[in-house]
Amino acid sequence: MMIRKPIIAGNWKMYKTMGEAIELANGVKRALSDEERLDIVLCPAYTVLGEVSEIIAETNIRLGAQDLFWEAEGAFTGEISPVMLKDVGCSYVIIGHSERRKFFYETNETVNRKVKSALKHKLIPIMCVGEQLEDRDAGRTFKVVEDHLVNGLKGLAKEEAKDVVIAYEPVWAIGTGRNATPAQAQEVHKFIRERLAVLLGNETARSTRIQYGGSVKPENIKEIMQQPDVDGALVGGASLKTDSFVKIIKNGLEGKL
Ligand code: PGA
């Protein structure tokens, strides 16, 4: 029996012009619109959220954004608010992706403000945590993951935090073709769940979904999903083609059945 409903999300990053996004969303819809055994989320760029939203309306596929700003509205040139994301049909939002931490100076503090704002506006945050290669090599993996986790969720009550999805994404595995082994993923996922139990109680820890991200492919997803504390995946590169994303959903599900 599955304790938690699996969740696989495609992070399209800064890829796909309008025509390309429409083609990909239609492909995913054709193959997966009736799939109810797991939550499927597409996270396209802001410019195509509206079109993808229309394509997947009335299917079981959900829409997510790749970031947000924490204010509801205001003079914040270039930013997108949670109200706007809800308005265009989003139910999820990725927060604190390592690329945002690296290139756009996101900190635990900004991540925390964004998580709180998302929850306030009824968007489910997919909060990313994960160590760099030098952290892993120096034996600091748990320390870094704990720092991202504890500070990202700071100040949240149990009741508020219960919907948050955590994505464990070792930075050295993102876009490198070098995925964490299933055992390495499980080790950190288990640690995250234990820390969640201390922070938010056993019940929340048991129900929180923890995704793995970093070079997920059709060939490695099943074994990763077989790990007891892995509840899904956040997929970058391999979510950009209908074929490989659909295979990831199918093989990933097999790992949980
Ligand atoms: P990748 O990216 O699947 O291309 O490694 C994952 C992510 O950044 O979420």
Side-chain angles (χ1 to χ4, degrees):
M1 197 198 65
M2 286 190 255
I3 325 171
R4 297 170 289 273
K5 191 174 188 192
I7 173 166
I8 297 182
N11 173 10
W12 293 3
K13 307 194 179 184
M14 201 176 72
Y15 291 98
K16 304 291 174 190
T17 55
M18 185 74 72
E20 293 164 347
I22 289 172
E23 190 186 331
L24 178 56
N26 273 318
V28 174
K29 175 182 167 172
R30 268 194 297 276
L32 299 167
S33 65
D34 296 329
E35 183 52 79
E36 288 176 344
R37 292 170 294 176
L38 82 171
D39 289 333
I40 300 167
V41 187
L42 300 182
C43 305
Y46 292 133
T47 48
V48 297
L49 280 172
E51 280 71 17
V52 174
S53 181
E54 276 180 30
I55 292 169
I56 61 177
E58 307 189 18
T59 72
N60 282 313
I61 304 162
R62 294 284 167 267
L63 188 68
Q66 299 173 17
D67 188 27
L68 84 175
F69 188 61
W70 52 77
E71 297 292 343
E73 62 177 12
F76 302 102
T77 302
E79 293 299 313
I80 306 278
S81 86
V83 175
M84 293 165 174
L85 295 182
K86 286 292 288 186
D87 184 51
V88 77
C90 288
S91 9
Y92 290 83
V93 58
I94 299 171
I95 296 176
H97 189 280
S98 63
E99 285 149 17
R100 297 219 53 89
R101 292 182 194 255
K102 179 174 173 197
F103 298 116
F104 306 101
Y105 314 109
E106 293 261 7
T107 62
N108 286 331
E109 199 206 334
T110 59
V111 169
N112 182 244
R113 292 180 82 152
K114 290 180 176 190
V115 168
K116 285 179 173 158
S117 171
L119 290 168
K120 182 172 162 202
H121 294 278
K122 305 268 180 294
L123 286 162
I124 300 177
I126 299 179
M127 189 182 93
C128 302
V129 304
E131 83 286 1
Q132 318 233 5
L133 186 58
E134 55 267 34
D135 298 320
R136 180 160 280 265
D137 288 345
R140 287 195 303 262
T141 297
F142 291 145
K143 197 165 170 288
V144 171
V145 169
E146 175 164 32
D147 178 53
H148 288 170
L149 188 73
V150 172
N151 291 307
L153 298 177
K154 204 174 197 161
L156 288 182
K158 276 183 203 174
E159 200 36 45
E160 295 171 296
K162 69 178 189 346
D163 293 326
V164 176
V165 174
I166 306 292
Y168 168 57
E169 299 207 302
V171 178
W172 47 271
I174 295 178
T176 57
R178 176 186 167 197
N179 60 288
T181 64
Q184 283 173 326
Q186 169 57 23
E187 185 185 34
V188 180
H189 282 229
K190 181 165 175 282
F191 171 78
I192 291 172
R193 206 174 298 288
E194 286 164 1
R195 290 300 299 142
L196 285 172
V198 175
L199 280 176
L200 300 161
N202 282 326
E203 204 182 311
T204 305
R206 243 195 322 270
S207 65
T208 299
R209 297 181 294 176
I210 309 174
Q211 298 176 311
Y212 166 78
S215 299
V216 169
K217 302 180 266 283
E219 300 76 37
N220 61 22
I221 180 87
K222 183 173 169 186
E223 232 190 305
I224 292 172
M225 291 283 278
Q226 277 170 339
Q227 306 306 307
D229 288 296
V230 176
D231 308 305
L234 183 54
V235 187
S239 74
L240 297 174
K241 291 215 168 82
T242 304
D243 216 40
S244 62
F245 189 62
V246 172
K247 279 193 190 129
I248 284 174
I249 301 286
K250 303 224 144 108
N251 298 350
L253 204 48
E254 259 180 47
K256 279 294 171 214
L257 293 177

